[in-house]
């Protein structure tokens, strides 16, 4: 008993010594300096990130240290008790923490989170404790995170604090988002070195209920052309909960964003499974970005607009890296380079995963125009005149309108350069129009797009190259039930598809007329090289041999095409020179895939004999034995 009592007395003495040492340190440093530097240097080790000083040093009572518990209202109204050492512990929910009275400061403003000013002009400043001095918790500024209160002002106040230090010493700060659902919109970042960090995309969620304004806008002052660098968004979800107005209205916008990162971020649109009323809207739009990294990000349910839109109208932009990212149920998962004077540099997609809603089901007669689908049209017009209408056919479904507002229409007639449209096309459950486009490269010139070890599932088009490109390299990709892996809609200097598996299962036999690995719809010269090396093209259980076209050229130009180390059978259609090496199988029945050379058809009949006919055969024996 005596030993226990002695131990208790020793512990009390040590606690009092710690408290006295702290008071002496505060007195020596000065309250103003303490408020700026925090207590990290004089606190015991092992205090967790974000743990309060009072809880870590003194416990939960005030008797051991004499720091009174007060509310923010008491500090501001000068009704708080007088503390001998000028220290107070604020107890407001979510805004707890130690504050010190700074008698030397008469100019700071009340920011609602780290500095409070009383009616008599006293400044009370938050002590950082074991929080890094440049971290600002949005709850300090009054954010609730209950998906009811508007937390925009609190978030912006925290962002403003993180930006303030840049004007002092060119550093910035971190906005910390604890677990919760925060209703926010109209947030702006206007200085470099700002990080917005949560506790994971399933815990820290920014909820949008505005039908037009962005949740977050990142750029320097509106009137400047200076870039904003070293921004980071990580471990949060940005979720749209309303049907956005039609038009170019992404959830997050940025301009001239340089050397910045998005890590473990989910951009999610409203969806029917969670009671969302519609799908209008885009996810992320970055104009003229450079050296941007996206790691473990997800973009889902953007069925109208773009999940990731990176337009450009100047030189020296690009160098984008997407690592382990997922695009799910997006009509345009990734749009690169649209703009009249753009030149996008390298884009690398490492282990991307693209999953479409329901690839392969279309509005009318399984006919969809995969490229050249954006045509100028007013919403009510039933006729559209194009500069070049070649490739458009009656019975095709096209998307008409502006880039940011496309609607399906059926071509009922083609006369010269004029398309007559039937706008009564409606999308039924299970139908899609150009659904699940992985990436659209539409800039004036994109130097390089590289996809490594990717996965396409149920996509109408994997990569749509709709303008001049230098190099496309696709390596180690699995494409399952996707109608076109690559569509070339303009000049491509070099395309390489290698070490990949393309698989299609079509029990209803709907795909043979339009399933291709590479579909060429537009070229402006013969100077194109397409290499398909060491790939396996399979038709699945529905076919004896592959029933689609591996490469289909719809143009009069003749790109240079090479197939090497082929697996399984295939059909090559179009006007281009071909070279083959390795194991290549071409052939089939008269009504299935077979070799066509000019007007001559070569196939294997039911008895195994080879037959040849000048002109399309009408039966198994309609041809001469070879």
């Amino acid at each position: 008993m005596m030993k226990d009592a002695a131990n208790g007395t020793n512990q009390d003495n040590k606690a009092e010594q710690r408290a006295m040492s702290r008071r002496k340190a505060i007195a020596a440093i000065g309250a103003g300096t303490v408020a700026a530097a925090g207590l990290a240097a004089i606190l015991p080790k092992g205090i967790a990130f974000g743990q309060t000083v009072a809880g870590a040093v003194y416990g939960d009572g005030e008797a051991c240290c004499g720091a009174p518990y007060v509310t923010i209202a008491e500090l501001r109204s000068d009704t708080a008790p007088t503390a001998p050492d000028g220290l107070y512990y604020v107890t407001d929910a979510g805004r707890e923490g130690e504050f010190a009275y700074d008698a030397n400061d008469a100019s700071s403003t009340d920011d609602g989170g780290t500095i409070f000013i009383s009616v008599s002009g006293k400044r009370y400043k938050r002590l950082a404790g074991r929080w890094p001095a440049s971290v600002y918790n949005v709850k300090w500024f009054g954010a609730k995170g209950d998906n009811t209160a508007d937390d925009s002002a609190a978030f912006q106040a925290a962002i403003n604090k993180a930006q303030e230090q840049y004007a002092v010493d060119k550093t910035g700060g971190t906005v910390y988002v604890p677990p919760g659902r925060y209703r926010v919109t109209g947030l702006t970042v206007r200085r470099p070195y700002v990080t917005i960090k949560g506790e994971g995309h399933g815990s820290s969620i920014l909820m949008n209920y505005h039908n037009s304004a962005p949740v977050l806008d990142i750029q320097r002052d509106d009137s400047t052309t200076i870039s904003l660098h070293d921004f980071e968004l990580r471990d949060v979800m940005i979720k749209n909960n309303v049907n956005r107005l039609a038009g170019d209205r992404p959830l997050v916008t940025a301009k001239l964003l340089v050397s910045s990162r998005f890590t473990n971020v989910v951009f999610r649109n409203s969806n029917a499974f969670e009671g969302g009323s519609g799908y209008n809207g885009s996810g992320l739009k970055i104009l003229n970005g450079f050296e941007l990294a996206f790691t473990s990000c997800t973009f889902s349910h953007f069925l109208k607009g773009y999940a990731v839109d990176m337009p450009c109208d100047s030189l020296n932009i690009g160098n984008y890296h997407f690592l382990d990212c997922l695009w799910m149920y997006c009509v345009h998962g990734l749009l690169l380079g649209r703009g009249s004077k753009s030149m996008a540099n390298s884009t690398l997609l490492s282990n991307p995963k693209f999953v479409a809603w329901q690839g392969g089901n279309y509005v009318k007669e399984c006919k969809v125009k995969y490229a050249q689908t954006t045509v100028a049209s007013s919403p009510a017009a039933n006729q559209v005149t194009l500069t070049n209408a070649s490739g458009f056919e009656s019975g095709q479904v096209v998307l008409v309108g502006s880039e940011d507002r496309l609607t399906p229409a059926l071509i009922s007639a083609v006369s010269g350069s004029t398309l007559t449209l039937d706008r009564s096309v409606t999308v039924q459950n299970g139908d899609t129009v150009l659904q699940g486009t992985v990436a659209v490269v539409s800039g004036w010139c994109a130097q390089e797009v590289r996809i490594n070890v990717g996965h396409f599932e149920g996509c109408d088009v994997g990569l749509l190259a709709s303008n001049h490109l230098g190099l496309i390299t696709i390596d180690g990709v699995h494409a399952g039930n996707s109608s076109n892996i690559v569509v070339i809609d303009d000049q491509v200097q070099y395309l390489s598809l290698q070490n990949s598996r393309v698989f299609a299962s079509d029990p209803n036999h709907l795909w043979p007329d339009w399933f291709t690995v590479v579909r060429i719809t537009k070229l402006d010269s013969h100077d194109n090289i397409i290499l398909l090396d060491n790939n396996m093209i399979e038709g699945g259980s529905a076919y004896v041999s592959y029933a689609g076209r591996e490469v289909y050229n719809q143009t009069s130009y003749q790109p240079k095409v090479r197939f090497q180390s082929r697996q399984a059978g295939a059909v090559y259609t179009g006007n281009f020179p071909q070279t083959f090496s390795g194991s290549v199988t071409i052939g089939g029945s008269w009504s299935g895939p077979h070799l066509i050379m000019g007007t001559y058809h070569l196939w294997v009949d039911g008895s195994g004999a080879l037959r040849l006919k000048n002109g399309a055969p009408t039966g198994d024996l309609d041809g001469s034995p070879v």
Side-chain angles (χ1 to χ4, degrees):
M1 294 287 294
M2 293 180 61
K3 185 176 181 180
D4 292 340
N7 287 338
T9 301
N10 289 336
Q11 291 173 359
D12 292 340
N13 289 337
K14 290 179 180 179
E16 181 60 25
Q17 289 171 4
R18 287 196 299 269
M20 291 179 63
S21 298
R22 197 183 79 120
R23 291 189 190 119
K24 290 179 181 179
I26 293 173
I29 297 174
T33 305
V34 170
L39 295 177
I42 58 176
L43 290 179
K45 295 181 179 180
I47 301 177
F49 177 77
Q51 186 176 359
T52 62
V53 176
V57 180
Y58 309 123
D60 294 327
E62 60 176 288
C64 70
C65 64
Y69 285 3
V70 298
T71 64
I72 295 172
E74 288 175 328
L75 289 179
R76 284 173 167 163
S77 63
D78 280 326
T79 59
T82 300
D85 56 6
L87 293 175
Y88 298 86
Y89 185 75
V90 167
T91 60
D92 296 57
R95 309 175 80 176
E96 300 92 344
E98 283 200 332
F99 283 76
Y101 165 50
D102 188 352
N104 299 318
D105 184 2
S107 60
S108 296
T109 58
D110 190 324
D111 61 20
T114 64
I115 301 174
F116 299 125
I117 303 178
S118 73
V119 293
S120 64
K122 294 180 179 179
R123 267 71 175 175
Y124 297 93
K125 299 182 177 181
R126 184 183 293 273
L127 302 182
R130 282 289 170 166
W131 288 81
S134 59
V135 174
Y136 304 96
N137 188 330
V138 295
K139 288 197 171 183
W140 291 352
F141 299 87
K144 302 298 183 184
D146 57 6
N147 198 23
T148 300
D150 186 346
D151 291 328
S152 301
F155 261 76
Q156 191 61 56
I159 292 172
N160 292 343
K161 290 298 295 185
Q163 295 180 130
E164 281 182 6
Q165 201 61 29
Y166 181 76
V168 177
D169 58 9
K170 302 303 181 183
T171 64
T174 296
V175 176
Y176 173 61
V177 186
R181 292 177 173 241
Y182 303 86
R183 294 185 66 147
V184 292
T185 192
L187 307 179
T188 61
V189 174
R190 294 292 182 259
R191 293 292 181 269
Y193 297 111
V194 171
T195 295
I196 300 176
K197 181 187 184 304
E199 288 289 349
H201 59 74
S203 299
S204 302
I205 305 175
L206 280 60
M207 310 286 285
N208 172 64
Y209 286 89
H210 199 285
N211 63 7
S212 60
V215 171
L216 180 62
D217 178 50
I218 311 157
Q219 60 177 304
R220 296 297 286 265
D221 295 335
D222 294 337
S223 60
T224 186
T225 58
I226 301 175
S227 63
L228 189 150
H229 57 85
D230 289 280
F231 168 80
E232 183 169 11
L233 181 66
R234 63 180 302 134
D235 301 320
V236 299
M237 176 188 289
I238 298 181
K239 187 174 187 298
N240 177 45
N241 289 270
V242 296
N243 191 14
R244 305 272 282 180
L245 296 178
D248 191 9
R249 306 179 192 277
L251 293 176
V252 175
T253 63
K255 181 180 180 181
L256 292 173
L257 187 62
V258 174
S259 300
S260 297
R261 295 156 299 283
F262 295 79
T263 305
N264 196 30
V265 179
V266 172
F267 297 84
R268 181 157 190 165
N269 205 1
S270 59
N271 64 86
F273 299 130
E274 297 184 6
S277 60
Y279 299 94
N280 278 343
S282 298
L284 170 66
K285 178 181 179 181
I286 301 178
L287 173 64
N288 294 343
F290 185 69
E291 292 185 351
L292 304 179
F294 300 82
T295 304
S296 300
C297 293
T298 299
F299 310 90
S300 68
H301 293 86
F302 293 99
L303 300 185
K304 297 179 182 178
Y306 313 109
V308 182
D309 183 10
M310 292 186 166
C312 43
D313 56 15
S314 65
L315 300 180
N316 268 336
I317 65 167
N319 289 350
Y320 306 132
H321 186 189
F322 294 86
L323 174 64
D324 293 327
C325 292
L326 168 66
W327 286 262
M328 180 176 289
Y329 310 150
C330 300
V331 63
H332 291 105
L334 175 59
L335 182 68
L336 295 171
R338 66 184 178 98
S340 59
K341 299 179 181 179
S342 63
M343 185 171 74
N345 294 317
S346 298
T347 299
L348 172 63
L349 292 90
S350 297
N351 195 28
K353 296 177 178 63
F354 297 95
V355 180
W357 189 269
Q358 281 186 336
N361 298 304
Y362 299 102
V363 175
K364 289 189 177 181
E365 300 176 1
C366 301
K367 293 182 179 178
V368 171
K369 181 66 180 175
Y370 292 105
Q372 298 174 318
T373 53
T374 304
V375 295
S377 171
S378 60
N382 66 351
Q383 286 190 332
V384 175
T385 300
L386 305 177
T387 303
N388 181 6
S390 62
F392 287 93
E393 302 173 4
S394 177
Q396 289 177 329
V397 175
V398 294
L399 297 181
V400 295
S402 61
E403 270 192 309
D404 53 23
R405 183 56 175 168
L406 300 175
T407 57
L410 184 73
I411 300 178
S412 57
V414 178
S415 177
S417 297
T418 300
L419 309 182
T420 300
L421 304 175
D422 174 7
R423 291 184 174 273
S424 64
V425 172
T426 58
V427 180
Q428 306 296 327
N429 291 335
D431 290 340
T432 57
V433 179
L434 201 62
Q435 179 61 56
T437 300
V438 170
V440 179
V441 185
S442 65
W444 170 74
C445 179
Q447 292 182 326
E448 178 183 10
V449 177
R450 182 182 297 270
I451 302 176
N452 290 337
V453 195
H455 179 85
F456 305 155
E457 183 65 39
C459 299
D460 292 349
V461 178
L463 176 66
L464 173 60
S466 64
N467 215 318
H468 288 62
L469 279 95
L471 170 67
I472 300 175
T473 304
I474 302 175
D475 191 349
V477 166
H478 173 269
N481 296 342
S482 297
S483 56
N484 295 275
I485 307 307
V486 180
V487 171
I488 299 173
D489 192 35
D490 212 324
Q491 182 78 2
V492 175
Q493 293 295 317
Y494 179 92
L495 165 66
S496 173
L497 174 64
Q498 55 191 346
N499 306 318
S500 298
R501 177 175 185 257
V502 180
F503 174 85
S505 178
D506 181 23
N508 295 321
H509 299 278
L510 297 176
W511 292 2
D513 291 337
W514 48 265
F515 193 104
T516 61
V517 177
V518 178
R519 180 182 293 263
I520 305 169
T521 64
K522 179 182 176 184
L523 292 175
D524 57 12
S525 79
H526 299 291
D527 187 20
N528 299 268
I529 299 175
I530 300 173
L531 308 179
L532 291 93
D533 294 346
N534 195 33
N535 300 304
M536 179 172 286
I537 314 299
E538 299 181 73
S541 59
Y543 304 121
V544 176
S545 62
Y546 182 66
R549 302 180 179 97
E550 184 164 1
V551 176
Y552 181 39
N553 181 24
Q554 297 174 270
T555 75
S556 59
Y557 291 100
Q558 301 182 27
K560 301 174 181 65
V561 179
R562 185 187 78 188
F563 302 89
Q564 184 170 335
S565 300
R566 284 286 290 102
Q567 302 292 328
V571 173
Y572 313 107
T573 303
N575 182 20
F576 49 81
Q578 307 166 23
T579 62
F580 309 96
S581 64
S583 176
V584 179
T585 302
I586 303 175
S589 65
W590 73 274
S591 58
H594 57 270
L595 182 62
I596 304 173
M597 296 181 296
T599 60
Y600 287 87
H601 292 244
L602 186 67
W603 72 95
V604 179
D605 65 23
S607 65
L610 194 62
R611 289 186 175 269
L612 176 68
K613 182 184 178 182
N614 186 3
T618 58
D620 188 44
L621 302 179
D622 183 19
S624 303
V626 177

